[in-house]
Amino acid sequence: MSDISEFLKYAEFNKANKKVMGWLKTTLSNYVKKNEVQIVEAEHIIDYLCQNEVVKINMMSYPQAVKKSEKWTLMLQKQADKIIEKPDDAKVVFDFKDGFKVVQLIGKNAFIREGKLMRNCVASYFGKDTKIYSLRDKFNNSHCTMEVS
């Protein structure tokens, strides 16, 4: 993929600041001209950059961004592992009978844990007038966060 327009749209959707957009337009753009970039990997880097203030971002290479975003993910997962969801924090609304289920997030712990596991801002939705659902596997790990207004 030599066109980064989809990555730029993703970054804009995630409210990337000017520094992040500049890094994408230069560093990422130059990298994808010479290398195959996985969409999931690039979007993960964008998530990391949008949620963290990176000092000297203009000097960070794409491989360095990969390593930093992976380290960030491990940190979030460790934080999420420490959050104990109580039985009334989430309610099963659909069971696929294969280990996967859809749960509605109800309690604060469920919102915080979901946000850390999925690297999103869903924790800020706790207490708001919206319904949030999560696709969970048999280990209660999140795979998708959904909002219904």
Side-chain angles (χ1 to χ4, degrees), residues 2-144:
S2 58
D3 178 25
I4 66 159
S5 62
E6 291 303 314
F7 296 137
L8 294 174
K9 287 179 191 174
Y10 182 79
E12 287 172 1
F13 178 78
N14 284 288
K15 298 179 177 36
N17 64 34
K18 290 179 183 180
K19 289 180 181 180
V20 171
M21 294 303 286
W23 185 87
L24 295 172
K25 290 174 183 175
T26 56
T27 305
L28 179 61
S29 181
N30 290 333
Y31 189 83
V32 299
K33 289 176 184 174
K34 301 173 186 172
N35 303 280
E36 183 67 29
V37 172
Q38 298 295 317
I39 293 171
V40 173
E41 180 180 80
E43 287 180 349
H44 180 64
I45 290 169
I46 293 167
D47 291 341
Y48 163 71
L49 294 174
C50 288
Q51 294 186 34
N52 295 278
E53 183 66 33
V54 178
V55 179
K56 298 182 181 179
I57 188 173
N58 58 330
M59 299 181 73
M60 183 174 56
S61 69
Y62 184 84
Q64 288 171 325
V66 170
K67 287 180 183 176
K68 287 177 181 267
S69 65
E70 288 171 352
K71 186 176 179 181
W72 173 65
T73 298
L74 291 174
M75 182 216 35
L76 290 175
Q77 288 172 341
K78 285 180 183 177
Q79 290 175 351
D81 288 343
K82 294 177 183 175
I83 298 169
I84 308 296
E85 269 188 8
K86 298 172 188 155
D88 58 347
D89 280 334
K91 175 177 77 172
V92 177
V93 294
F94 189 82
D95 189 338
F96 289 96
K97 307 292 184 202
D98 63 355
F100 279 87
K101 62 190 173 209
V102 175
V103 301
Q104 180 180 358
L105 305 184
I106 299 169
K108 188 173 184 176
N109 287 339
F111 280 82
I112 294 170
R113 183 175 178 272
E114 183 79 11
K116 291 195 180 297
L117 287 173
M118 297 301 292
R119 302 177 315 274
N120 63 33
C121 64
V122 77
S124 67
Y125 284 61
F126 178 72
K128 294 187 178 175
D129 190 25
T130 186
K131 291 184 180 183
I132 303 293
Y133 299 92
S134 174
L135 175 64
R136 305 271 177 96
D137 64 23
K138 65 182 179 180
F139 303 109
N140 203 35
N141 291 319
S142 303
H143 291 265
C144 176

